[in-house]
Amino acid sequence: MIPATMPVWAQHRYGGPEVVALEQVPVPNPGPGEVLVEVAASSLNSADARLLRGDPALIRLAFGLRGPSPVRGRDVAGVVVAVGPGAGPGAGAGAGASPHAVGDRVAGELPGGGLGAYVVGAASALAAVPASVPLEVAATVPLAGGTAWQALDAGRVVHGSRVLVVGAGGGVGTFTVALAAHRGARVHAIGGARSLEVLRGLGAEEVADHRSVDLRTWAPDAFDAVVDVVGTTPLRTLRRLVRPGGLVVGVGGGTDRVIGPLGRMLAGAVQSVGSTRRFRPLAARTDAALTARLLALVADGLTPPPIERTWPFDEARAALAHIDAGHTVGKIIVTGAVW
Ligand SMILES: NC(=O)c1ccc[n+]([C@@H]2O[C@H](COP(=O)([O-])OP(=O)(O)OC[C@H]3O[C@@H](n4cnc5c(N)ncnc54)[C@H](OP(=O)(O)O)[C@@H]3O)[C@@H](O)[C@H]2O)c1
């Protein structure tokens, strides 16, 4: 039976992990086209830490000047426990995503927040999880896997491409390496020392520690694409590494506390004018059909990034502190409150 109230980790102002606290709130009712999901697992991303802190300041314009929506945890996997009008089987929940029924295992990006016992969201934002894929694993896929896939598409990475992934150790980076290797690309990966064995295991041919490597000394024109996940290396250095006609894809970057990656993305666009080594900033979109496709790859044997650590729901604040510190290797999980 669905209870009247549920625990959530909520924030009511921007700040570090200390601003979140356990609260009891009403369980929401799914509206038209929505479903209520009992959360089995939520995977945290650096985006959760940025929203927690409102950093860079520019995002406060989009998410609220005083604070964002209260519950973090965008990546969610769980079981549908209630269906709103127009969201059930046969209702046509949206292109590429199947409508869902009570009891269905689902995963997707739900802005309502995974750090609660239940979350309500659009049925069209959720993908069905294949029976062989554990819900904890499914929760790692939507945001990081979707971003990685779109970055590889933006870089035109195909079988035989030589691709360099800079900042490969975290969620997006490890998915980028795994999916590039799955496409048959030849992958070089630069990550932290703790991530190098993981990156080899995901299919990287060559790995290097970002604290000891100097990309200015690497041979020019060596790659068809560079996927830059962290944005700390000068763009000029990265563009020199791709062959004429090659692409540098900007996924993350820029340490500016006000405008975040915007300055770097604009600089890259300007530098690309008239150049044969172009920079492409990525603005990844939420895509349930892509989540479904990636979950199918996992069901078919793709090795997903490892889960570095799983926290029980009651310790979600520690998980937020971990993602906030910025040293995650692979993915991290918070389990559901009633799971
Ligand atoms: N463009 C888009 O649409 C989009 C979508 C999603 C995410 N993003 C961005 O993508 C970035 C990654 O997100 P995420 O959730 O995957 O982060 P994450 O999991 O928190 O990534 C942490 C990892 O980054 C590594 N790292 C930090 N600085 C590094 C450097 N200078 N060189 C190499 N590795 C470094 C860390 O290694 P160490 O422990 O060694 O420091 C750690 O393994 C963020 O900037 C995020 O905002 C962009």
Side-chain angles (χ1 to χ4, degrees):
M1 206 182 79
I2 302 167
T5 64
M6 65 173 180
V8 297
W9 283 94
Q11 70 174 116
H12 298 290
R13 60 186 170 92
Y14 289 113
E18 70 282 356
V19 304
V20 298
L22 263 182
E23 287 178 10
Q24 202 70 16
V25 300
V27 174
N29 285 318
E34 293 182 334
V35 294
L36 180 70
V37 176
E38 184 180 280
V39 177
S42 181
S43 174
L44 298 183
N45 296 279
S46 68
D48 290 300
R50 287 182 182 275
L51 265 180
L52 182 71
R53 290 188 176 276
D55 176 12
L58 192 65
I59 65 173
R60 299 184 185 206
L61 289 180
F63 291 94
L65 291 180
R66 288 170 186 274
S69 61
V71 186
R72 304 275 65 74
R74 194 176 173 88
D75 272 338
V76 174
V79 173
V80 173
V81 291
V83 174
S98 47
H100 307 290
V102 169
D104 283 1
R105 300 164 83 242
V106 292
E109 284 183 58
L110 294 184
L115 296 186
Y118 298 87
V119 61
V120 88
S124 60
L126 292 163
V129 178
S132 63
V133 179
L135 287 173
E136 276 208 351
V137 174
T140 68
V141 169
L143 194 154
T147 301
W149 184 269
Q150 292 171 60
L152 294 170
D153 281 353
R156 299 196 203 111
V157 173
V158 293
H159 192 275
S161 297
R162 299 160 301 162
V163 59
L164 172 67
V165 184
V166 182
V172 173
T174 48
F175 262 110
T176 305
V177 169
L179 293 171
H182 182 265
R183 289 185 185 197
R186 306 188 60 183
V187 186
H188 281 50
I190 296 178
R194 290 185 309 125
S195 69
L196 300 184
E197 273 313 303
V198 165
L199 295 170
R200 277 200 195 88
L202 293 172
E205 286 183 12
E206 303 285 343
V207 296
D209 181 349
H210 68 82
R211 290 183 179 82
S212 53
V213 79
D214 183 356
L215 289 174
R216 291 171 304 181
T217 65
W218 284 29
D221 302 351
F223 297 98
D224 300 299
V226 171
V227 178
D228 178 23
V229 183
V230 287
T232 49
T233 307
L235 286 171
R236 200 175 304 280
T237 303
L238 297 181
R239 287 178 46 244
R240 180 183 154 276
L241 295 176
V242 294
R243 61 165 172 81
L247 290 157
V248 175
V249 179
V251 176
T255 49
D256 191 291
R257 301 291 299 273
V258 179
I259 61 170
L262 209 57
R264 183 173 170 90
M265 300 303 174
L266 285 174
V270 170
Q271 287 176 27
S272 292
V273 174
S275 168
T276 56
R277 297 171 175 85
R278 297 180 71 82
F279 174 81
R280 273 196 181 171
L282 180 76
R285 66 188 188 287
T286 300
D287 184 344
L290 177 53
T291 299
R293 192 170 169 191
L294 296 173
L295 288 169
L297 290 183
V298 174
D300 282 348
L302 171 84
T303 303
I307 294 171
E308 180 187 7
R309 187 163 166 191
T310 299
W311 280 264
F313 182 79
D314 288 350
E315 296 171 23
R317 188 191 281 132
L320 281 167
H322 185 82
I323 198 77
D324 183 49
H327 300 299
T328 299
V329 173
K331 295 293 298 172
I332 62 168
I333 288 287
V334 177
T335 51
V338 290
W339 198 253

